[in-house]
Amino acid sequence: MNYSVGTTFQHYRITAALGAGGMGEVYKAVDTRLDRSVALKILPPQLVSNQDRVARFVGEARAASALNHPHIVAIYDIGEAEGGVAEEGAPTTVHYIAMEFVDGATLHGHIHRLRTEPKRLLEYFAQVADGLAKAHGAGIVHRDLKPENIMITSDGYAKILDFGLAKLVEPERTGGGSGSSLEEAETAVMARTQAGVVMGTVGYMSPEQAQGKPVDHRSDIFSFGCMLYEAATMQRPFQGDSLIDSLHKIVYSQPAPIRESNPNTPVELQRIVRKCMAKDPGERYQSIRDAAIDLRDLAKEYDSQPTLSHVFAPATLNEGQVQQVSSAYATQFQPGPGSTVSGPAQQVSSGSISAIVGVKKPSTKLWIFLGIALLAVAAAAVVFLMTFFAQKQAKARGPAFESTRIAKLTNTGQSVHGAISPDGKYVAHFMRESGKTGVWVRQTATSSNVQIVPAADADYAGLMFSRDGNYIYYARAEKGSTYRSLYQIPVLGGTPKKLIDDVDSAITFAPDNKRFAFVRLSQADAKLLIANADGSGEQVVSSTKQPDIYFEPAWSPDGKTIAVTARLITGGYRYELLAIQVSDGSSKTIGTKKWLYMDGLAWLPDSSGLITSARDQAPGAKVQIWDVPYPDGKPRKITNDLNDYAGMSLSADAASLVTVQTNTIGNVYVMPSGDYARAQQITQGSARYDQVTWTGDGHIVYVSDAAGSADIWVMDADGKHQKPLTSDAGVNIFPSVSPDNRYIVFNSNRGAATTSISVWRMDIDGSNARQLTTGEGDFFPQVSGDNKWVLFTPLVVGERPCLWKVSVDGGEISRFADPITVRAAISPDGKYVACQYSTGQPNQNAVVGILPSSGGAPITKLTIPFNEYHWSADSKSILFSDSKEGIWNIWSVPMEGGPSKQITRFQSDQIFSFDFSRDGKQLVCERGVRTTDVILIKDQQLAPKE
C-alpha cells in the first residue's frame, strides 16, 4: 500500500517515499508538533492483525526507544491513527512507527557500492558493536541484523535500525516448543519469507534462529559475524541453491574460508569472524563488546601493516596481481625470532647448519683457544659498546617514534594512569572498579595482569618505576583529603611502604637511583624538591610563587638537569617546559612553544629531547604525544588523531612508550524533573557539548567546539536552531545567565595579546559584548540575585584563590569572601552563595561552603564531590553529580546538611554537565561515555628485526 506526498497520519505529514523497509513501506515525514524530520514506517495489515503479537512488539519497541545510544536509531513514537486523512483510498486505520531520520547510506552500500576504505569499515563495525552492547546490556536482542539495517550517516556514524521489529514476525508457538523438528522450523521461516517479511535475511540468521529455538544476544553476535564475512568476501556466508539449502548450511555447514575469496585478509580478522560465527553459542564471543575491542585493535594496526590495505574484498585482480598479493601476504607472516616453526624446518637444528651449507667444523682445541681470546676481548669491550650505543642510538635511528606500532594493553575503559618499567617488560596502571581504584601490573608481552594494591575509595596519582625496575612508587590521598603520601611497593606485590607526605606529582629518579625529585604545592608556592631514595634529606631545588606552579618533573640522563612542566598565569595563561639546574636551581625555558595543557614528561636517553603529552593552542586541538627537541627546536607530534592522551611513560631505551588513551562521546538530553525515564536525546555528536545551562525563557546555552574553537552557543529545548553567540578566535567558556535573563556573563581571552582569561558580558542574544575585568585569570563568573554584581574567582590576585566581585557594568573589583573560596553558585532567591571552601590549613579537607550573599564565614559546610553543583529551584538544597559504585547520577543534599538523596536513576553513562530550569521542571544534562585505556606505542626503528 502506497501513500502520496502530503498524506497525514495524526501529526505526521509525508514528504517523500523512501522505499520498502522489510516489514512495510518507509516514508520521510515531518512531525508537525516538533517540526522535525522523521522516518515513518507503515506496517502491513497482516502483521498487526494479532493484537497479542502487537502488544509484545510495542513493549519491546518501547524498551528499545529508551536505549538512547549514538549508534542506535531512536524510536520516537509507535501507534495507530484512526481516520487519518489519506489520499487514493488509503485505509482509515494505520499502524506506524516514527523513527529518527538518518541521512546517509546503508552499510550494504558502503560494502558493495561505495567500497569504503577498510579502516573506516572496521570503525563502522566497531560502532555497530557498541550499539549492540548497549542493547544487550538492557536485555534487548535485535534478531534481524543485516547490512541493510545499518545506516551510515553523512558525518560517519553507524546507526542500527529496526530494534524489536523481528519480535513482531516471530511465529506463534503451538505446543511444539523448542522441541519442534527442523522441518517444522524451516516451514515456519518459509511462511514468514513468503509473506515478504524475512526475505533476504536468512543469510544472517544464527543456527538457533534457523531452527526456531529461543535466541539470546549471542544470536546477534552470529549475525554480526555474517556481516563481517560479507565485507571481507563480498559474499554471504551461507548461500544455497534454495531456501532449504541455505537453512541447512546455517545449521550444519561451515562457510568457505575467507582466504579463498580474499587471501590478503589478516589472520586476526579471520579469527574474529570465526569466533562470532561459531555454531555453538557458548563458543562465540560472550559479549559483543569484546568483538568491538578486537576490531578497534585491528584498525589501529592498519597504518603499520601493509597487508591491511586490503582488509576487505579488493576489486578484481588479474593473475599477476593475485600472485603479488599472495607473496606479500606470505612474507608478512614469516615467523620471527622466538616463533614456533612447524613442519620440515623443525628438523634443522643449530648443530646441522654447517653441514647443510658445506662449512667444516673447527676442532675442539681451536674452539677453546678462540673462546679464551674472545672472552678477553669481550670483557674489555662490553662496557664501551653499551655506553657507545646508548649515546648514539637515537641519532642513528632518526627522530624518536617516527614510525610506530600501537597496541592496547587494557580494555576495561577504566584505566587512569600507566607507567612502563625501564626494561619495557612491565606496565603498572591504576584501574577503577565500582568507584574504587587499585594498582595493577601486567606484562607487555602477555595478557598476564596482577593486582598488587587492592581497590580502595582513595585518590591515586603519580605512578613510577625505580630505575632498576625493582619497585613501583605511587602517591595516595585518603577519601576527602587533598594531601597525598608517597608509597613504595615491590613490582610484583607486597606490603606498601610509606616514605613521605605531601607529594603532588610523580617522582623521577636520578641516574644513580639514589635520589628522586618531586613537586610539592602550597597555597603560596610550588617547590621542586630532591630527597634520598628512602624519603629522607629533603632539599628544595627551585620554587615559584602561586598561581604559577610546577607539575611533572623528569631528571635528565646526565643528572645535571630536571625538566618540569609549568603552568604559568603571570604574564598570560600557558604551559611551558622548564629546564632547572640541579646545582643552583636556575631555570630556562625549553623551546618557544606555549601550550594550553601538559601532562607527563620523560627524557630521551641521549638527552636530545623530551617526550610529553600536551595540547597546543590550535583550535579544537586534542592532547597528543609530542617529541620536543632539547634545548631548542620545533616540537613534532608523535600521535595525531581525535583521541586525548593522558600522561606518558618511557622505557630506558626509548623503544616503548605507555600512555592512557581517552575517548569521549557525549550528547545533551532533556527530561522532565521526576520522570527521568523520558529523557530525550536532542543532539548528535562526539563531545561537542559542555557547560549546559538554561536561560530564563527555556533555551539552552552551552559551549561547543563545532566551529573549530571553544565558543558559546544557544539552542531550543528540543535541540533545534543551534547557533553560536560568540565567534571570536580563542576561548569562550563558562557561560552563566543573569536571573533577569538580560545578560550572559562568560570567560574569554578575546582581544587579548596573550591567552589571559577575563570576565565578559553580552546580551542574551550575543550582542554588545563588554569586558568587565582585566585580570590574567578571572574564572567562573556568576550574576548575583539582584542582577547588580558578578562574582568570579581570580587566580592571580593575592596569594590564594578567593571570590571577588565586580559590577555587572564593570569597574572596580573588590574581595567578596575569604579565605579559599572558588566557583560560586548563587541561590535562586539570591540569599546564599555556595562555593568550594577551605581555610588552607594542613590536612583540612575542602568542602562546599554555604555563605550569606553579603559575604562572610560559611553558615554550613557540606562534604560533597566537586564534579558540579547547583541550587535547587526552591533554594533549599544543593544538587550535585557523583559516581557511586561506578554509576553516575544527580544527588540532593539539604543546605543545612544531612543525608544525600539520589534524584535521578540513570543506569549508565557519565554526567559531564547538568542544570535544572528556573522553575525546576526540566533537567538538561550532558551525558556520555568516556573510556580510558592504557596503550603501548612501540618505536618501529628499535623493534627486533624479523
Side-chain angles (χ1 to χ4, degrees):
M1 115 185 30
N2 296 311
Y3 298 93
S4 304
V5 172
T7 301
T8 60
F9 304 115
Q10 299 285 62
H11 45 269
Y12 299 106
R13 184 179 71 253
I14 291 177
T15 59
L18 300 178
M23 293 199 318
E25 297 294 328
V26 182
Y27 299 88
K28 183 178 180 182
V30 172
D31 183 336
T32 57
R33 294 176 308 173
L34 300 177
D35 190 26
R36 65 180 174 188
S37 295
V38 300
L40 199 65
K41 178 166 286 190
I42 310 299
L43 301 181
Q46 64 267 27
L47 293 182
V48 295
S49 59
N50 187 307
Q51 293 303 310
D52 290 337
R53 186 180 295 173
V54 171
R56 291 199 311 273
F57 160 68
V58 170
E60 183 159 338
R62 283 175 176 166
S65 70
L67 289 175
N68 287 325
H69 192 275
H71 300 306
I72 296 175
V73 168
I75 297 177
Y76 296 143
D77 189 16
I78 308 160
E80 59 183 61
E82 296 291 343
V85 180
E87 297 179 2
E88 299 179 2
T92 58
T93 301
V94 177
H95 296 267
Y96 64 85
I97 306 165
M99 298 174 290
E100 172 187 0
F101 174 74
V102 179
D103 184 14
T106 65
L107 180 60
H108 182 274
H110 278 269
I111 293 172
H112 294 278
R113 180 172 55 85
L114 299 176
R115 296 293 180 90
T116 298
E117 61 178 1
K119 186 176 181 181
R120 188 174 296 275
L121 271 182
L122 286 171
E123 179 55 32
Y124 291 158
F125 273 99
Q127 291 177 7
V128 172
D130 290 340
L132 286 174
K134 176 73 172 181
H136 293 169
I140 299 172
V141 182
H142 191 286
R143 299 180 180 86
D144 193 21
L145 206 60
K146 55 185 177 181
E148 292 84 352
N149 271 342
I150 310 297
M151 290 293 296
I152 309 299
T153 68
S154 56
D155 55 352
Y157 279 83
K159 286 181 172 287
I160 308 171
L161 298 168
D162 286 359
F163 260 103
L165 296 186
K167 185 72 172 178
L168 178 61
V169 297
E170 284 186 348
E172 301 297 324
R173 299 200 178 275
T174 57
S178 60
S180 299
S181 68
L182 175 60
E183 289 76 11
E184 292 169 339
E186 289 169 346
T187 302
V189 175
M190 288 179 64
R192 288 178 280 161
T193 303
Q194 291 168 353
V197 177
V198 194
M199 188 65 176
T201 63
V202 68
Y204 308 97
M205 286 183 178
S206 65
E208 56 270 30
Q209 194 174 4
Q211 296 177 81
K213 295 180 178 179
V215 300
D216 60 19
H217 66 281
R218 294 171 297 183
S219 178
D220 282 350
I221 293 174
F222 186 93
S223 302
F224 183 83
C226 292
M227 294 194 302
L228 270 176
Y229 182 98
E230 182 175 348
T233 66
M234 305 292 282
Q235 302 173 21
R236 292 180 183 175
F238 301 107
Q239 293 188 16
D241 296 333
S242 65
L243 175 65
I244 297 297
D245 187 28
S246 294
L247 292 171
H248 186 275
K249 287 182 176 180
I250 290 173
V251 178
Y252 296 110
S253 301
Q254 295 296 333
I258 292 177
R259 61 179 178 273
E260 292 183 3
S261 301
N262 185 6
N264 209 32
T265 304
V267 173
E268 175 64 8
L269 181 58
Q270 297 180 54
R271 182 195 68 80
I272 294 171
V273 173
R274 285 196 303 270
K275 194 168 181 65
C276 287
M277 295 177 61
K279 301 293 186 186
D280 183 351
E283 295 179 1
R284 298 173 200 156
Y285 284 104
Q286 297 303 289
S287 169
I288 192 65
R289 194 177 300 278
D290 293 336
I293 292 168
D294 287 349
L295 286 170
R296 286 197 168 98
D297 286 345
L298 178 60
K300 289 174 183 175
E301 296 290 323
Y302 175 84
D303 293 327
S304 60
Q305 296 286 351
T307 59
L308 289 183
S309 61
H310 296 295
V311 168
F312 298 111
T316 304
L317 304 178
N318 61 38
E319 184 177 353
Q321 290 172 319
V322 170
Q323 290 178 350
Q324 292 175 5
V325 169
S326 300
S327 175
Y329 176 79
T331 302
Q332 177 66 30
F333 293 98
Q334 288 293 324
S339 299
T340 301
V341 181
S342 60
Q346 286 182 316
Q347 302 170 10
V348 184
S349 66
S350 60
S352 63
I353 292 178
S354 59
I356 293 174
V357 299
V359 178
K360 183 179 179 181
K361 286 186 178 182
S363 67
T364 303
K365 290 183 179 180
L366 180 58
W367 275 121
I368 295 174
F369 174 80
L370 290 174
I372 294 173
L374 288 172
L375 284 174
V377 174
V382 65
V383 175
F384 167 78
L385 289 173
M386 290 177 65
T387 304
F388 176 82
F389 283 113
Q391 294 176 345
K392 300 297 182 182
Q393 187 179 51
K395 294 179 181 178
R397 74 178 188 226
F401 296 96
E402 188 172 37
S403 175
T404 62
R405 188 171 187 173
I406 298 176
K408 183 182 285 187
L409 297 184
T410 67
N411 55 24
T412 64
Q414 298 295 316
S415 295
V416 291
H417 189 81
I420 192 167
S421 61
D423 60 9
K425 293 182 178 180
Y426 295 95
V427 169
H429 60 102
F430 298 135
M431 188 166 69
R432 298 190 188 100
E433 302 171 276
S434 300
K436 298 181 180 180
T437 305
V439 183
W440 292 71
V441 173
R442 67 156 289 165
Q443 291 179 294
T444 56
T446 72
S447 59
S448 174
N449 201 26
V450 178
Q451 187 174 28
I452 63 171
V453 178
D457 195 0
D459 177 30
Y460 287 85
L463 268 178
M464 178 63 66
F465 282 84
S466 58
R467 286 192 183 264
D468 58 15
N470 292 331
Y471 293 96
I472 292 172
Y473 297 79
Y474 60 89
R476 167 175 166 157
E478 301 307 317
K479 182 180 180 181
S481 175
T482 59
Y483 287 84
R484 298 190 182 102
S485 298
L486 180 67
Y487 290 85
Q488 174 198 67
I489 188 172
V491 70
L492 295 181
T495 302
K497 178 182 179 182
K498 182 178 176 181
L499 297 182
I500 53 176
D501 290 318
D502 201 2
V503 175
D504 294 303
S505 72
I507 66 171
T508 176
F509 276 94
D512 61 7
N513 207 46
K514 295 180 179 179
R515 296 176 297 168
F516 61 78
F518 65 96
V519 171
R520 177 175 292 158
L521 305 178
S522 71
Q523 64 184 32
D525 57 25
K527 295 185 177 70
L528 175 66
L529 298 100
I530 291 176
N532 296 325
D534 62 0
S536 64
E538 289 186 9
Q539 172 189 350
V540 177
V541 176
S542 176
S543 66
T544 183
K545 294 292 185 183
Q546 287 271 20
D548 297 341
I549 58 177
Y550 302 141
F551 276 111
E552 298 298 319
W555 209 315
S556 66
D558 62 11
K560 298 179 180 179
T561 306
I562 298 175
V564 297
T565 59
R567 187 205 68 194
L568 306 177
I569 293 181
T570 304
Y573 178 90
R574 78 277 187 200
Y575 277 74
E576 292 183 359
L577 277 178
L578 302 179
I580 298 175
Q581 299 304 306
V582 177
S583 59
D584 59 8
S586 61
S587 67
K588 64 177 182 179
T589 302
I590 300 173
T592 59
K593 191 172 182 65
K594 313 300 181 187
W595 310 81
L596 284 180
Y597 176 76
M598 305 187 81
D599 177 23
L601 190 65
W603 287 87
L604 292 172
D606 65 346
S607 300
S608 64
L610 297 107
I611 308 296
T612 184
S613 54
R615 176 180 176 180
D616 65 6
Q617 299 189 47
K622 298 288 187 178
V623 180
Q624 300 290 309
I625 308 296
W626 294 75
D627 177 6
V628 182
Y630 179 80
D632 293 297
K634 183 178 180 180
R636 178 184 60 86
K637 282 184 179 179
I638 292 174
T639 60
N640 188 17
D641 53 42
L642 297 179
N643 298 300
D644 282 304
Y645 294 90
M648 53 77 49
S649 176
L650 200 62
S651 62
D653 60 1
S656 300
L657 182 156
V658 158
T659 183
V660 173
Q661 186 183 73
T662 301
N663 183 37
T664 302
I665 296 177
N667 276 289
V668 179
Y669 297 76
V670 171
M671 61 212 78
S673 298
D675 191 4
Y676 303 108
R678 291 173 57 194
Q680 180 183 6
Q681 182 178 331
I682 65 170
T683 66
Q684 293 288 344
S686 178
R688 289 190 168 187
Y689 308 89
D690 201 7
Q691 302 168 24
V692 293
T693 187
W694 289 97
T695 65
D697 56 0
H699 291 84
I700 298 170
V701 173
Y702 60 99
V703 173
S704 172
D705 62 358
S709 61
D711 278 301
I712 297 171
W713 291 57
V714 67
M715 62 181 168
D716 296 345
D718 60 1
K720 292 185 176 181
H721 304 117
Q722 299 181 15
K723 68 175 183 178
L725 298 178
T726 64
S727 57
D728 299 76
V731 175
N732 299 279
I733 53 176
F734 295 121
S736 176
V737 181
S738 62
D740 60 7
N741 208 47
R742 289 185 61 194
Y743 301 123
I744 297 174
V745 293
F746 61 102
N747 284 138
S748 180
N749 65 346
R750 60 174 62 191
T754 68
T755 54
S756 299
I757 296 290
S758 55
V759 176
W760 286 70
R761 186 202 79 191
M762 62 183 171
D763 291 349
I764 194 70
D765 62 359
S767 63
N768 299 321
R770 178 175 181 177
Q771 188 171 2
L772 302 184
T773 72
T774 57
E776 295 176 339
D778 299 336
F779 289 92
F780 317 125
Q782 291 279 315
V783 181
S784 62
D786 59 6
N787 299 292
K788 294 181 178 180
W789 299 94
V790 178
L791 299 185
F792 62 97
T793 308
L795 297 179
V796 293
V797 179
E799 295 185 351
R800 64 182 71 189
C802 58
L803 292 177
W804 287 63
K805 68 178 183 179
V806 65
S807 168
V808 74
D809 295 317
E812 295 294 324
I813 64 172
S814 59
R815 191 185 301 270
F816 173 79
D818 229 1
I820 297 178
T821 45
V822 178
R823 195 162 191 171
I826 301 171
S827 62
D829 62 10
K831 295 179 179 180
Y832 305 103
V833 176
C835 62
Q836 299 172 21
Y837 177 88
S838 174
T839 64
Q841 298 301 314
N843 299 318
Q844 194 241 350
N845 298 334
V847 296
V848 170
I850 308 297
L851 284 61
S853 59
S854 58
I859 58 177
T860 308
K861 298 177 184 177
L862 305 174
T863 303
I864 61 174
F866 290 162
N867 299 318
E868 185 169 3
Y869 51 89
H870 299 277
W871 284 90
S872 61
D874 60 6
S875 300
K876 294 181 179 179
S877 302
I878 297 293
L879 309 172
F880 62 94
S881 59
D882 192 15
S883 172
K884 296 191 177 182
E885 298 182 351
I887 300 177
W888 283 85
N889 273 291
I890 298 173
W891 297 71
S892 173
V893 61
M895 65 165 286
E896 64 272 11
S900 298
K901 178 183 178 182
Q902 184 176 342
I903 63 172
T904 62
R905 299 289 173 180
F906 302 135
Q907 297 299 312
S908 63
D909 293 347
Q910 184 172 342
I911 296 174
F912 301 130
S913 178
F914 76 93
D915 190 28
F916 282 85
S917 58
R918 300 287 176 89
D919 59 9
K921 294 181 179 181
Q922 290 276 93
L923 168 65
V924 60
C925 188
E926 188 209 4
R927 299 169 58 219
V929 177
R930 177 172 291 142
T931 58
T932 53
D933 280 300
V934 179
I935 66 167
L936 176 69
I937 302 178
K938 285 276 194 179
D939 190 329
Q940 290 287 75
Q941 297 180 85
L942 301 183
K945 301 299 181 183
E946 298 186 358

